[in-house]
Amino acid sequence: MCGIVGYVGYRRVVPVVLGGLKRLEYRGYDSAGIVFIQDGELKKYRSKGKLQNLENSMKEALGAPSHIGLGHTRWATHGAPTTENAHPHSDCTGELVVVHNGIIENYHSLRNELIEKGHTFASETDTEVLAHLIEEYLDGDLRAAVTKALSRVEGSYALGVLWTGMPDTLIAARNHSPLVLGVHEEEGGFMASDIPPLLPYTDQIIFLDDEELAVLTSNTHKIYSLKSGKEVTKEIQTISWNAAMAEKGGYKHFMLKEIYEQPQAIIDTVSGRINPETGSVDLPEMNLTEDDLANIDRIFLIACGTSWHAALVAKYWIERWAKIPVEVDIASEFRYRKLLIDERVLTVAISQSGETADTLAGVRLAKDLGSKIVTICNVVGSTMTREAHGTVYTHAGPEIGVASTKSFTSQLAALFLFTLYLAEKRETMEQEQRLLLGKELIRVANIIEEELPAMQDEIKKLIESFYDSRDFLFVGRGLNFPIALEGALKLKEISYIHAEGYASGELKHGPIALIDKDMPILGLTPKDSVYQKSISNVEEIKARQGRLILIGTRGDEQLKTITDDVLYLPEVHEELNPILYTIPAQLLAYEIASRRGCDVDQPRNLAKSVTVE
Ligand code: AGP
């Protein structure tokens, strides 16, 4: 997830683009760059780290007499967060530049092809391929060259292109990554990944759709279909957001925005990693050799908080499909127990931030004992990824809300891929099964996208009768037990209600004593292989007058005979229920906290990244 800003108009370009990037810093902030045309030449500035570094490095250019330019703030996916990898990226002539948000899935093969044709690359990014590919096709007509280049590209992109050969024109294009245009007669034309950069200048917005390309000048905008090449007419919409609303994409809180970003985060995490024909999984940054994999006889999963819940789900998956015994540890416990670890153990550290002190300490300990280390991480170049032998990155983009949401479901997606990968290498799963499960993962992301708005409406109504409860229980079995734990953690951290998650079968060993008519209990009861057992457990709750809310499979009428409060979800392969059933648990916590007037994005006593022991 990166941020793009482009401007062509009557103002001096640098303050417009820099100001726009500041409003997009939430989308990524490991490096940034700006380019503009002055006296027929491109002037390019790039810096590693926060935007402030870029601003400091280009003080003399702030007032440059240029009226056309592009900017980018980066959240690294391919290539470390360095100045060389910062956007904009240039072609070989240095006369054409590109800024990009998204992932070019076939960049390896395109890069090799272009190198063979004599192109020289200056970065490790997938984006640079686009600059050289456009150069390859450029013959005086920039729109034609961009269209042709994009027809070769697989993956997602929001793109801005600038060429000295057409010094009054900006090209924008989009496919599966957001891009909006702003237009104003007296100001000029704008492009950006999100609306906030445009708001100081215009409220007239055009939302580009997938596979569309725009040509912007100071006083014209034309939009074309990338497929047919024909011009398309787009509606201009008037936006009435203020700046704060716009930063959150119109959502009340970052957490809610991030809940809604989950389908995209899952798709971005899976994107380019499963071959749709063979079901073969490609995780190049994992850096484990065939020998390393053959030698593994146990896996330790270590993590904290929400990431630990992802580990608990992964244990079921890995043991079932890759047939390797798995131990799961809370990192703060792992680091102080007697560890029976040697070089046959693979340690997998799961961390959104890659900086959590306890998990990092666990990584160092396991490494000292000879274990290979793989990290599942969302932040490129974070300490954990540098210390691990290999990484499987989640592509969730920056998460601002302290409560982990999209980072959790994309960790699950990455761990599912990791399981398929191990199962493929160790030949413990049929190819057909791998193909089926790979496709199902994408289907689940699409289902979440479709179901989210209605699910939120239903939950909003549902919570009215128990949002002010003092306590709350979450129960689930098998793969859904960790989701019960996650639901309880979400609720307690943002609403301050005391909440616990239990394995349903464990209730009768003590917690059932808590149940009375004032105790709300959320039961996860999908039609899976432990369905009948789960039903018996929720019947036990009903018999003690517990206030039951059930989440189950659409069409399962039996649930309605147990309680009136049932939330239905579509049936998916049971292995993937944990991803789907997380969404209502997050929404429930969100709606309750919001109803209670809590500070959802910055709950008391918590920090986003816990870098102390
Ligand atoms: C949960 O919502 C929290 N943000 C917290 O439990 C978090 O998952 C934990 O601190 C671990 O963080 P990490 O994934 O960055 O290592």
Side-chain angles (χ1 to χ4, degrees):
M1 191 156 131
C2 305
I4 291 178
V5 181
Y7 174 62
V8 48
Y10 308 103
R11 291 176 179 262
R12 298 205 164 196
V13 69
V14 177
V16 175
V17 172
L18 198 57
L21 289 180
K22 284 182 185 160
R23 294 187 179 89
L24 288 183
E25 221 179 353
Y26 75 89
R27 297 182 63 85
Y29 36 73
D30 57 38
S31 55
I34 286 184
V35 68
F36 55 88
I37 297 180
Q38 190 182 335
D39 302 329
E41 276 180 24
L42 286 172
K43 307 275 179 201
K44 189 160 97 173
Y45 296 83
R46 298 184 296 171
S47 284
K48 190 180 155 185
K50 295 248 173 194
L51 205 50
Q52 190 60 50
N53 298 349
L54 178 70
E55 192 170 355
N56 295 343
S57 77
M58 59 184 301
K59 284 225 163 77
E60 83 287 358
L62 286 178
S66 165
H67 302 271
I68 184 164
L70 291 167
H72 187 273
T73 171
R74 179 168 187 248
W75 176 264
T77 58
H78 294 70
T82 59
T83 305
E84 296 68 42
N85 288 334
H87 299 214
H89 290 290
S90 308
D91 69 345
C92 296
T93 66
E95 290 167 3
L96 181 139
V97 274
V98 169
V99 291
H100 164 232
N101 169 35
I103 297 171
I104 306 301
E105 291 172 12
N106 58 338
Y107 91 100
H108 273 300
S109 58
L110 289 173
R111 188 180 162 113
N112 291 340
E113 177 190 320
L114 288 159
I115 288 172
E116 263 177 36
K117 287 189 169 145
H119 291 260
T120 317
F121 282 75
S123 78
E124 303 158 333
T125 62
D126 52 338
T127 300
E128 197 185 343
V129 155
L130 293 170
H132 293 280
L133 202 57
I134 297 168
E135 175 191 5
E136 188 63 28
Y137 295 125
L138 189 56
D139 189 13
D141 182 345
L142 186 58
R143 173 164 75 92
V146 174
T147 306
K148 192 139 189 220
L150 292 178
S151 71
R152 302 278 323 277
V153 160
E154 288 161 26
S156 56
Y157 50 80
L159 202 66
V161 187
L162 183 57
W163 177 45
T164 52
M166 288 172 75
D168 305 317
T169 305
L170 278 183
I171 298 257
R174 117 160 221 171
N175 193 37
H176 299 303
S177 284
L179 198 60
V180 293
L181 307 179
V183 289
H184 191 286
E185 237 174 68
E186 284 152 29
E187 296 283 357
F190 303 80
M191 72 167 89
S193 303
D194 200 350
I195 293 167
L198 314 184
L199 286 179
Y201 311 103
T202 182
D203 58 0
Q204 302 294 294
I205 306 290
I206 300 169
F207 291 91
L208 275 192
D209 284 310
D210 285 344
E211 300 192 278
E212 283 182 349
L213 174 147
V215 181
L216 289 179
T217 67
S218 304
N219 52 8
T220 61
H221 64 269
K222 288 195 169 182
I223 296 156
Y224 300 86
S225 154
L226 277 168
K227 266 198 184 146
S228 67
K230 291 200 176 121
E231 193 174 342
V232 286
T233 315
K234 303 279 292 187
E235 201 188 325
I236 299 181
Q237 304 194 19
T238 306
I239 294 285
S240 56
W241 295 353
N242 61 36
M245 276 164 80
E247 200 190 10
K248 293 174 189 146
Y251 294 98
K252 196 168 155 203
H253 297 100
F254 279 110
M255 180 182 174
L256 187 61
K257 178 169 180 271
E258 286 156 6
I259 288 175
Y260 273 83
E261 282 170 356
Q262 290 180 107
Q264 188 67 50
I266 296 168
I267 286 170
D268 286 348
T269 298
V270 178
S271 185
R273 286 168 163 178
I274 307 186
N275 182 317
E277 262 93 57
T278 61
S280 184
V281 180
D282 186 24
L283 299 174
E285 286 145 333
M286 215 169 84
N287 294 335
L288 292 189
T289 63
E290 302 271 317
D291 274 357
D292 292 334
L293 288 169
N295 283 340
I296 299 169
D297 68 4
R298 258 176 323 143
I299 294 182
F300 274 68
L301 300 178
I302 58 170
C304 300
T306 288
S307 300
W308 176 64
H309 298 152
L312 291 172
V313 175
K315 174 183 167 71
Y316 286 85
W317 285 337
I318 297 169
E319 290 188 337
R320 167 145 194 212
W321 297 109
K323 314 229 182 301
I324 308 171
V326 176
E327 284 195 40
V328 181
D329 267 273
I330 292 173
S332 56
E333 291 297 312
F334 177 84
R335 61 187 293 192
Y336 292 114
R337 75 183 174 91
K338 174 78 192 136
L339 295 171
L340 301 178
I341 286 185
D342 56 28
E343 60 289 345
R344 285 164 304 163
V345 169
L346 173 68
T347 304
V348 181
I350 305 164
S351 175
Q352 185 281 131
S353 60
E355 303 294 346
T356 300
D358 285 318
T359 315
L360 198 53
V363 162
R364 289 172 180 160
L365 269 173
K367 203 170 167 186
D368 283 349
L369 292 167
S371 174
K372 287 268 183 247
I373 313 288
V374 167
T375 171
I376 310 285
C377 191
N378 195 38
V379 183
V380 175
S382 57
T383 312
M384 233 174 274
T385 64
R386 294 199 305 272
E387 300 206 7
H389 296 101
T391 299
V392 181
Y393 282 109
T394 50
H395 293 307
E399 194 174 59
I400 313 287
V402 164
S404 304
T405 52
K406 62 175 179 170
S407 66
F408 177 62
T409 43
S410 48
Q411 279 169 350
L412 290 179
L415 285 160
F416 196 69
L417 285 181
F418 175 68
T419 305
L420 298 184
Y421 176 87
L422 290 177
E424 179 183 357
K425 297 285 178 249
R426 295 169 68 95
E427 299 179 6
T428 51
M429 188 193 253
E430 297 292 316
Q431 184 192 24
E432 225 167 82
Q433 185 73 25
R434 234 179 25 243
L435 265 169
L436 185 139
L437 287 171
K439 283 193 185 130
E440 187 68 353
L441 184 52
I442 300 290
R443 191 174 81 92
V444 169
N446 292 329
I447 286 177
I448 295 172
E449 172 107 55
E450 279 160 30
E451 298 277 326
L452 252 166
M455 214 191 288
Q456 190 191 355
D457 287 348
E458 247 183 282
I459 289 173
K460 209 180 210 150
K461 285 184 212 135
L462 201 65
I463 58 137
E464 273 311 308
S465 57
F466 54 78
Y467 73 89
D468 54 354
S469 300
R470 283 173 51 93
D471 306 281
F472 211 111
L473 296 183
F474 290 74
V475 296
R477 287 190 87 112
L479 280 160
N480 291 305
F481 162 47
I483 307 309
L485 293 175
E486 174 61 6
L489 176 62
K490 285 289 90 88
L491 186 63
K492 67 185 124 189
E493 71 178 324
I494 62 169
S495 75
Y496 318 136
I497 294 176
H498 167 241
E500 300 295 340
Y502 284 105
S504 314
E506 188 64 10
L507 282 180
K508 56 187 173 294
H509 298 289
I512 203 162
L514 291 169
I515 291 171
D516 63 16
K517 63 175 183 21
D518 297 322
M519 174 68 89
I521 302 122
L522 182 97
L524 302 168
T525 48
K527 279 253 183 182
D528 57 11
S529 46
V530 288
Y531 173 73
Q532 283 309 338
K533 305 279 169 205
S534 304
I535 292 298
S536 309
N537 297 139
V538 294
E539 289 283 9
E540 288 158 15
I541 296 171
K542 185 186 174 191
R544 283 150 186 92
Q545 275 88 49
R547 167 99 183 69
L548 255 181
I549 305 120
L550 294 180
I551 308 184
T553 307
R554 196 160 284 156
D556 179 1
E557 292 304 322
Q558 190 177 354
L559 301 184
K560 279 276 177 204
T561 65
I562 303 171
T563 176
D564 290 338
D565 293 331
V566 183
L567 193 84
Y568 284 116
L569 296 176
E571 183 159 15
V572 300
H573 193 294
E574 74 168 286
E575 295 294 318
L576 292 166
N577 274 333
I579 299 183
L580 183 59
Y581 280 67
T582 295
I583 314 298
Q586 293 169 342
L587 284 170
L588 184 100
Y590 171 77
E591 287 300 343
I592 291 178
S594 176
R595 181 72 175 79
R596 288 161 72 100
C598 299
D599 186 349
V600 171
D601 286 330
Q602 290 178 323
R604 69 186 182 205
N605 307 339
L606 292 174
K608 184 69 190 158
S609 177
V610 186
T611 53
V612 291
E613 194 179 347

